[in-house]
Amino acid sequence: MTATASSGRLGNISADVLYACAHRHLEAWYFADSHGLGTYLARSLGSVDLARPDEIKNPKLHLKHLLGSRVCTARVSEAIARVLDADRVARQSPSFATFIKAVVNGVGGFT
């Protein structure tokens, strides 16, 4: 995860902006709440190692297989995110916990 702070101007509004991006796939965070993801999919998550979701090799591909004929669009991704428990995801995924800390506290939140 990387973050940078930037001061900028939006019209007449001065604002500090935090840019953060996840180096790992967003889909790994979905696997951090196996209960929520399993509920959304209405099926077992298969043989994915759920103990360390940040280390899942190609989580996007795993999710694609689990979705079957459904395509993982932004709307599907949003629907999945809505059923997940953010606290559970943060407990299981160190990268998500770091991301949340950065969003709440700004750049100083990164460790």
Side-chain angles (χ1 to χ4, degrees), residues 1-5 18-26 29 95-96 98-100 102-103 107 110:
M1 171 111 30
T2 60
T4 57
L18 172 68
Y19 300 92
C21 72
H23 288 283
R24 302 188 188 274
H25 295 283
L26 173 69
W29 292 346
S95 69
F96 184 75
T98 299
F99 174 76
I100 292 299
V103 170
V107 175
F110 279 92

Side-chain angles (χ1 to χ4, degrees), residues 50-89:
L50 302 172
R52 291 182 220 117
D54 288 348
E55 296 176 20
I56 295 172
K57 301 278 191 239
N58 203 345
K60 186 181 294 265
L61 182 62
H62 285 294
L63 183 61
K64 180 180 176 183
H65 289 307
L66 291 170
L67 286 169
S69 63
R70 293 177 283 182
V71 176
C72 191
T73 62
R75 288 192 178 171
V76 169
S77 190
E78 178 184 1
I80 293 170
R82 288 184 180 277
V83 300
L84 301 180
D85 178 335
D87 291 330
R88 183 177 293 144
V89 175

Side-chain angles (χ1 to χ4, degrees), residues 13-53:
I13 301 170
S14 179
D16 289 331
V17 178
L18 172 68
Y19 300 92
C21 72
H23 288 283
R24 302 188 188 274
H25 295 283
L26 173 69
E27 291 80 2
W29 292 346
Y30 298 163
F31 285 96
D33 180 1
S34 58
H35 175 75
L37 181 59
T39 297
Y40 175 82
L41 296 170
R43 62 174 291 181
S44 164
L45 300 183
S47 62
V48 175
D49 181 5
L50 302 172
R52 291 182 220 117

